[in-house]
Amino acid sequence: MIDAHAHVEMFRGRIPEVVEESRKHLKAIVDSITEYRKFHVWKSWEMLRPYFGFIFPTLGYAPNEARRGNWEKVGKVETFIREHADDIVAVGEIGLDFHYAKTEEERKNQREIFSHFLNIAVELDLPVVLHAREAEREVFEAVQRAGVRAYFHSYSGPKELALEIAENGHIIGINTGIDFIPEVREAAEVLPLEAIVVETDAPYMSPYKGEKNYPWNVEYAVKRIAELKGVEFDTVEKATEENAIKFFGLPL
């Protein structure tokens, strides 16, 4: 199994323990190293660097940070991405989150910063990892205009749009919240396996109430997708692994 989206840096002092246990269950983790609040990309990078080769990093700027419109910070993150362009497998997560961005000013900031990093991905010829919440259609149209390959992480939009996204060659992350987010379950039901990767978004989205999520819990998503589609666990495991390897170009 491959966890296609996690934030291992958020475990801080427990990172070695979490990585060691993850190795027992997974072939790889794609970690979305994202500028957000106190989690600066350069600090997260140093924490995870000893585990590169098992952890494959992306670099991005969270939309909930982008709503603040701090262009000085944007410049620092852009510089870091350009310095490490050969070491990352995608730009992201980036995108729009209108659940938290309520004012027009916050949404304007998000749109401008999302567009900025989308252009960087185009320039660097890298795919993007997208955070799209209550703005899925707008994000989809933006990546279509840009002509980039996209991974819609933790997708929770309409199933009709999920199918349109897949038909245009992008992939969609089904997360471990599949049992408590109806839209995730509906997307998993209608999407073809070749359009799906599985993810935990650890330490968020635990399938177990009151607990932190861990990368190895991605098994829960694989199991539930298999049940929903009436296929074997191994079929979903193999397909989602192959999809992650192909999309990110993982050397596995």
Side-chain angles (χ1 to χ4, degrees), residues 69-216:
N70 186 338
W71 282 89
E72 182 182 354
K73 187 183 275 193
V74 168
K76 289 179 181 178
V77 174
E78 176 183 350
T79 298
F80 197 81
I81 290 173
R82 291 184 182 280
E83 288 172 351
H84 297 87
D86 293 337
D87 305 311
I88 60 176
V89 294
V91 172
E93 61 192 271
I94 57 175
L96 302 175
D97 189 325
F98 291 167
H99 181 77
Y100 289 108
K102 299 293 189 186
T103 69
E104 278 308 308
E105 180 66 21
E106 287 179 330
R107 293 183 177 188
K108 177 175 176 284
N109 289 338
Q110 280 194 357
R111 287 184 174 111
E112 289 176 351
I113 290 172
F114 173 42
S115 177
H116 184 75
F117 284 105
L118 206 50
N119 289 336
I120 292 168
V122 171
E123 182 186 338
L124 298 176
D125 193 26
L126 285 167
V128 291
V129 177
L130 300 171
H131 175 124
R133 189 177 184 191
E134 297 178 19
E136 290 86 359
R137 168 64 65 180
E138 184 171 338
V139 169
F140 170 59
E141 290 175 354
V143 298
Q144 288 296 95
R145 287 193 301 271
V148 294
R149 293 181 302 123
Y151 164 25
F152 284 73
H153 121 77
S154 285
Y155 181 83
S156 60
K159 61 185 178 182
E160 295 81 8
L161 179 57
L163 286 169
E164 191 176 347
I165 289 167
E167 286 163 4
N168 280 275
H170 308 297
I171 61 168
I172 289 178
I174 301 299
N175 67 31
T176 41
I178 188 169
D179 281 343
F180 59 84
I181 305 173
E183 293 85 356
V184 174
R185 186 168 60 254
E186 289 169 6
E189 287 173 340
V190 301
L191 285 167
L193 276 180
E194 57 266 26
I196 292 174
V197 293
V198 286
E199 59 165 281
T200 61
D201 201 18
Y204 307 110
M205 294 293 175
S206 177
Y208 307 111
K209 192 172 181 180
E211 296 182 16
K212 277 189 174 180
N213 206 5
Y214 294 93
W216 55 87

